[in-house]
Amino acid sequence: MAEQHSSKSIMWAIIIVAAVLIAILFPLTNKSFESAANNNAGADEAELRIQPVARFQLAKVEVAEAGGAPKDGPTVYNSVCGACHNTGAAGAPKIDAKGDWTARLGAGNAALYAAVINGKGAMPPKGGAAKLSEDEVKGAVDYILSKVK
Ligand code: HEC
């Protein structure tokens, strides 16, 4: 009798534990079904979940760039110089207006490089991107010259 009683209470204990587990786990599985059913929400959720990792990777890339390969002329132009030279902002000679350049070209490439490296008028030294190497600046000037000559 006593043996039967204890095995009965073990059975009840197992049933109760199983019920509690199901009560805890079912909402979780249900949630993942929901996000799987709605593909867009699922993608957003996935993006949110990987975001810190993606940020970390970006930071790593930036560090690599700072000490890494030099940027080529078009890249430097588009990220730094275009802000003024695409639109003529601050009175900058425009990249698509050859007339803006005719007088300046006469000074020769060396003078143009020096003007950008040291700054000239409203243009800050290196176009405001102090991190650029002189070769990167020259590459950007060469890119402009290839468009305006
Ligand atoms: C903040 C706006 C601005 C940015 C950014 C800028 N420039 Fe300029 N740039 C100017 C202005 C304004 C002038 C005209 C300066 C003058 O003649 O007084 C100029 C002039 C020049 C000239 C002609 C210099 C001369 O001696 O006549 C070159 C070449 C040039 N920029 C290249 C660049 C390059 C390459 C970059 C990117 C690394 C750059 N600029 C970024 C505003 C800018």
Side-chain angles (χ1 to χ4, degrees):
M1 242 338 226
E3 213 176 283
Q4 222 181 21
H5 176 76
S6 78
S7 76
K8 231 183 187 175
S9 54
I10 288 174
M11 191 188 79
W12 274 113
I14 290 173
I15 288 173
I16 288 168
V17 167
V20 168
L21 279 179
I22 288 169
I24 292 172
L25 293 178
F26 186 70
L28 296 179
T29 55
N30 203 26
K31 216 177 183 182
S32 63
F33 283 150
E34 260 172 39
S35 67
N38 183 343
N39 267 341
N40 283 338
D44 285 351
E45 244 172 64
E47 262 169 34
L48 282 175
R49 285 197 199 109
I50 64 164
Q51 217 176 27
V53 177
R55 279 212 195 108
F56 175 68
Q57 297 261 335
L58 271 179
K60 252 169 60 180
V61 168
E62 270 166 24
V63 169
E65 259 180 18
K71 298 189 197 79
D72 64 359
T75 306
V76 172
Y77 179 83
N78 287 318
S79 61
V80 179
C81 326
C84 296
H85 289 280
N86 282 342
T87 60
K94 284 167 70 174
I95 193 166
D96 60 359
K98 291 191 178 184
D100 286 2
W101 293 92
T102 32
R104 298 177 190 274
L105 294 179
N109 289 10
L112 296 177
Y113 295 148
V116 182
I117 288 167
N118 301 320
K120 183 175 183 186
M123 175 167 60
K126 294 182 178 175
K131 272 197 225 159
L132 292 177
S133 72
E134 296 198 354
D135 281 340
E136 285 170 328
V137 170
K138 287 177 184 171
V141 174
D142 290 342
Y143 174 71
I144 294 177
L145 296 180
S146 76
K147 299 278 175 187
V148 300
K149 264 187 175 168

